[in-house]
Amino acid sequence: MSADAVRTTDTTDPADTVASTDTATSTDTTATPARPAVAPAPARPGWIAVGLLLLLALAGLTRYLEQQVPVLAEGTALDDVAKAIEYPVYAILLGLLGNALVTLLGWRDRLSAAFRTEFFIKTGLVLLGASINLAVIASAAGPAIAQAILLISGVFLFTWWLAGRFGLDDKLRALLASAVSICGVSAAIAAAGAVRARREQLAYTASLVIVFALPSIFLLPWLAGVLGLSDEVAGAWIGGNIDTTAAVTAAGALAGEEALQIASIVKVTQNALMGVVAVALTAYFTLRVERRPGAARPGLGELWRRFPKFVLGFVAASVIATWYLDAAGADGKATIAIVNDLRVWFLILAFVSIGLEVRVTALREAGWRPVAVFASATVFNLLLALGLAALLFRGVSV
């Protein structure tokens, strides 16, 4: 029996499905009939409190490392790398360390009720919408919209096809394709909600995003200089390739002020299309991937049930933030900054929770194939984005 065939699922969180091979058993027609399953005992408030304290402590340590490591590394050879490492790296690593500790102590199942991964992820992504200023996209990103649509479509389809050739699970294919084609970790989270991916798959994808983003910070600005690209083309190339916001900012700054502005607009535009991809993935998995042979075609009610509702919150937050910034002017940026900081806290809690609950054996079983797919898709993204940037952004200024 495959790992995918046996799952332990939290019914409050379809996106939080966790694969488990521990429950797989062989069957024997001569065996004594199995006893009825006994419902697990409800979590005790004391253990929930301990789990929350552990979660908050690791989240606080994550934020401390995110803010202080760049300060400690300032002026050293690791200065640029330290500034580019974002909170998912620290959060997942600390979560894994906590996971090892509670497993060793035998507390893992008792504490698990406190690790509300789904709630943290969905709240964080809704708040992410506040960072999308639709007015900026509408007024200054005509070429960025064209590039985003063409680039996301091309890279997503290529990655999906290649992952299929490598025999990867459809849910992992969706996460890898979304991450490399749209906006990295955030897109992977949205895709996980749409296709009900496992925590291990999300943690694996997030790790690949960070690993490949770091060298891009230095490689792309250098290549832009070697190729003699203009600032606007270089910025569009950087924004269309690098999958984390901090890394885009770092690489854009190395390429020049105008390149940074173009890169930021391109990245924000791609982020805004995350909801569209989530809708498409929900429909595809409902109508094709998970539809049983001979079963009736799912109706709109089933599509609505499967659709990750937090995407609507993401869109609503974008609309409200755009209106608020227009009404409040410069003063509104301080409020949006507070919302963005709150969003970071929720996503830190989500990634720490993933680390605390993830089963490392499932990560090892994934092997080298997802890495090969992600690396190949990254190269394809580099080439396609370069061609589109040169075509659409030559002579563009901000």
Side-chain angles (χ1 to χ4, degrees):
M1 184 178 295
S2 67
D4 285 337
V6 184
R7 303 178 187 272
T8 302
T9 313
D10 178 358
T11 56
T12 64
D13 179 15
D16 246 4
T17 306
V18 179
S20 173
T21 56
D22 297 337
T23 57
T25 57
S26 60
T27 57
D28 184 348
T29 56
T30 62
T32 303
R35 296 179 181 179
V38 178
R44 296 182 179 180
W47 285 110
I48 294 177
V50 173
L52 285 173
L53 287 174
L54 174 63
L55 183 61
L56 291 172
L58 293 176
L61 182 55
T62 296
R63 199 65 196 271
Y64 175 82
L65 292 174
E66 180 201 20
Q67 294 175 343
Q68 294 303 313
V69 167
V71 175
L72 296 173
E74 189 172 359
T76 70
L78 298 177
D79 189 359
D80 292 333
V81 175
K83 291 178 181 177
I85 296 177
E86 293 186 286
Y87 58 85
V89 176
Y90 300 118
I92 290 177
L93 289 177
L94 290 174
L96 289 174
L97 290 175
N99 188 335
L101 176 62
V102 297
T103 300
L104 182 64
L105 295 173
W107 295 355
R108 177 175 175 147
D109 293 336
R110 297 175 181 178
L111 301 178
S112 61
F115 308 146
R116 305 297 297 170
T117 308
E118 177 254 357
F119 170 75
F120 298 138
I121 283 179
K122 292 181 178 179
T123 305
L125 280 188
V126 169
L127 295 175
L128 175 65
S131 66
I132 307 297
N133 190 336
L134 300 177
V136 172
I137 295 175
S139 64
I145 294 173
Q147 174 173 305
I149 293 173
L150 294 172
L151 189 61
I152 289 173
S153 301
V155 176
F156 186 98
L157 293 174
F158 173 81
T159 309
W160 178 268
W161 168 80
L162 186 62
R165 299 287 293 180
F166 274 77
L168 298 186
D169 171 76
D170 281 343
K171 295 180 179 181
L172 183 56
R173 291 170 73 187
L175 265 62
L176 293 174
S178 299
V180 75
S181 66
I182 310 173
C183 55
V185 175
S186 299
I189 293 173
V195 306
R196 302 181 177 184
R198 303 194 302 274
R199 291 186 183 93
E200 289 82 4
Q201 293 173 325
L202 180 55
Y204 195 107
T205 303
S207 301
L208 288 176
V209 168
I210 301 300
V211 168
F212 278 84
L214 289 178
S216 299
I217 295 171
F218 312 101
L219 181 62
L220 265 63
W222 175 75
L223 285 175
V226 171
L227 296 173
L229 302 181
S230 63
D231 285 349
E232 59 271 14
V233 173
W237 191 37
I238 290 169
N241 275 280
I242 301 178
D243 292 320
T244 71
T245 303
V248 166
T249 302
L254 290 176
E257 182 62 29
E258 186 172 359
L260 173 59
Q261 293 182 50
I262 293 287
S264 300
I265 291 173
V266 169
K267 179 52 60 181
V268 169
T269 305
Q270 291 189 187
N271 290 352
L273 294 176
M274 184 170 57
V276 177
V277 175
V279 172
L281 284 173
T282 300
Y284 182 77
F285 271 72
T286 303
L287 298 175
R288 293 288 301 274
V289 176
E290 297 175 2
R291 182 182 176 188
R292 295 179 180 179
R297 185 181 182 86
L300 292 177
E302 176 63 14
L303 287 173
W304 173 251
R305 187 184 68 82
R306 281 288 309 271
F307 177 69
K309 311 300 189 300
F310 64 85
V311 171
L312 299 179
F314 170 86
V315 174
S318 301
V319 173
I320 293 171
T322 301
W323 167 81
Y324 178 73
L325 286 171
D326 181 62
D331 295 336
K333 292 183 179 180
T335 303
I336 297 299
I338 295 173
V339 175
N340 288 337
D341 189 64
L342 186 61
R343 175 248 301 175
V344 170
W345 274 109
F346 273 102
L347 291 180
I348 285 174
L349 290 169
F351 279 103
V352 170
S353 296
I354 288 173
L356 285 166
E357 293 191 294
V358 74
R359 299 187 183 275
V360 180
T361 53
L363 294 177
R364 289 201 302 265
E365 289 170 1
W368 60 271
R369 292 177 299 163
V371 179
V373 169
F374 201 93
S376 301
T378 298
V379 173
F380 181 80
N381 194 18
L382 281 169
L383 297 175
L384 181 58
L386 178 59
L388 289 173
L391 177 65
L392 296 172
F393 283 85
R394 189 178 302 276
V396 172
S397 62
V398 292

